[in-house]
Amino acid sequence: MTELSALLQRPQEALDPELAAYLVDSPLGPVIKHPLVFSIPHSPQLNAMANARLRAKQDGCRQALQSRKWSQYLFLHERPYRVNAFTRIAAQMAARTYWTSLAELWIDAENIAENEPLWTTLLQDSSRVRSRHLMMTAPERRHLAQQPALMRVYRGFNSDERQKGMSWSLDAEVARRFAMRFGHGRPRVAAGTVEKSAVIAYLSGRGEHEIVVVPAAVRDQHVTDAHRKQRPNKLGG
C-alpha cells in the first residue's frame, strides 16, 4: 500500500486548525489556499493528506532556515506566497543571493500584479539597488547594454486593467502569445517606449526577452488587436 493510499484510507481526521483558517468556498467548491498547502478542490476525505503535507512542509521550512538553504525555503511555499516568504529572509541574504533569488521567484511567478506593490518595494530597495545588476546573468547584462537608449517594448493583455504592469517584452510576438494564451477576454498588445536607464532588469530565462520596469516608465503607448502582428520599427520592435 502506498503512503497516499494509507492516508486516504485512514479514519477521517479533523483538519488542522491552521489549514481550516484557509478553507474557503470557490466556484470549484471548498478549497484550501494556505501558504504551504493548496488543496483544490478539498473534501474532508483529504484532511489527513493535507495535514501530513502541512507538517512535512513546516519541518522542511525549519530545516531550510537552520541550514540557510534559502531557495529550498522559498519553494516549499505555494507560488502566490513565495514573494511574501522572501521578505521574511531577505535581510539575511548577501547581495548576490538576494538578487538571484528574487529573479528566480520573478521568473517562476504567474501573477505579478497580485503583489505588485511588494515587488516594487523589493526591486527598488534603496539599500540594495546598487547591486541590482546581479538580478541578471552576465549574458543578460550584455544584451541589455547592447540595446538603444530608447527601447521599444510590448505587453500582451486581455482586459483593460492588465494593460499596465511591470513585465514587458522586447519581442512583439511573445506579447501577442501572452495576450491570447487564455482564449478569453479581448486580447490586445500594448507597444511603448522606455529609456534603458529606467529598466530594472532584462531576463531571458523563459525565452521571453522580458523587460522588468515600473509601469509609469513606459511612455507613448499604443494598443492593437493581438490578432494583428506588430510591424518592426526603427526602435527595434
Side-chain angles (χ1 to χ4, degrees):
M1 181 182 294
T2 66
E3 183 178 353
L4 173 59
S5 298
L7 286 170
L8 290 174
Q9 291 183 24
R10 282 184 188 175
Q12 186 173 308
E13 68 180 55
L15 187 63
D16 186 291
E18 187 171 328
L19 293 177
Y22 288 85
L23 180 64
V24 297
D25 288 324
S26 79
L28 297 174
V31 299
I32 294 174
K33 289 190 174 183
H34 181 276
L36 296 176
V37 176
F38 275 18
S39 182
I40 304 173
H42 185 77
S43 68
Q45 290 75 23
L46 298 174
N47 285 356
M49 185 188 306
N51 291 343
R53 287 176 59 202
L54 177 63
R55 291 191 292 270
K57 283 196 167 187
Q58 287 173 331
D59 288 343
C61 284
R62 282 191 290 269
Q63 292 172 19
L65 289 174
Q66 290 170 2
S67 57
R68 301 176 69 85
K69 294 181 178 178
W70 306 132
S71 183
Q72 181 178 324
Y73 172 77
L74 293 171
F75 280 87
L76 280 167
H77 290 76
E78 296 289 346
R79 181 177 278 118
Y81 292 96
R82 288 171 187 164
V83 68
N84 301 93
F86 181 89
T87 66
R88 296 194 287 273
I89 59 175
Q92 302 177 62
M93 293 178 171
R96 183 174 295 278
T97 303
Y98 179 98
W99 289 112
T100 56
S101 296
L102 202 57
E104 191 175 24
L105 292 185
W106 179 280
I107 291 169
D108 178 72
E110 292 291 335
N111 189 0
I112 296 295
E114 186 176 355
N115 290 297
E116 188 172 298
L118 179 54
W119 281 109
T120 301
T121 297
L122 294 170
L123 291 167
Q124 296 186 320
D125 185 338
S126 59
S127 69
R128 298 278 192 175
V129 73
R130 289 184 63 181
S131 58
R132 192 167 64 188
H133 62 282
L134 296 173
M135 187 174 180
M136 297 177 280
T137 64
E140 288 168 342
R141 292 195 292 271
R142 287 195 295 270
H143 189 84
L144 180 60
Q146 293 166 0
Q147 300 305 307
L150 189 63
M151 302 163 60
R152 173 71 66 178
V153 292
Y154 305 89
R155 178 175 170 84
F157 63 101
N158 59 13
S159 59
D160 291 342
E161 64 271 17
R162 296 285 187 173
Q163 179 176 343
K164 294 182 179 179
M166 300 183 72
S167 179
W168 294 70
S169 177
L170 294 176
D171 189 329
E173 181 59 23
V174 168
R176 193 174 76 89
R177 290 200 302 267
F178 266 84
M180 301 179 69
R181 65 177 174 165
F182 294 121
H184 61 77
R186 185 183 167 199
R188 286 161 287 170
V189 174
T193 57
V194 61
E195 293 182 8
K196 182 165 62 175
S197 59
V199 171
I200 293 171
Y202 164 75
L203 302 173
S204 60
R206 293 184 295 195
E208 295 167 0
H209 303 288
E210 184 175 11
I211 293 294
V212 181
V213 64
V214 294
V218 183
R219 307 291 180 83
D220 304 319
Q221 293 186 37
H222 71 272
V223 175
T224 59
D225 189 303
H227 295 90
R228 294 172 51 198
K229 292 191 175 184
Q230 299 281 333
R231 293 181 179 179
N233 58 46
K234 63 181 179 180
L235 290 175

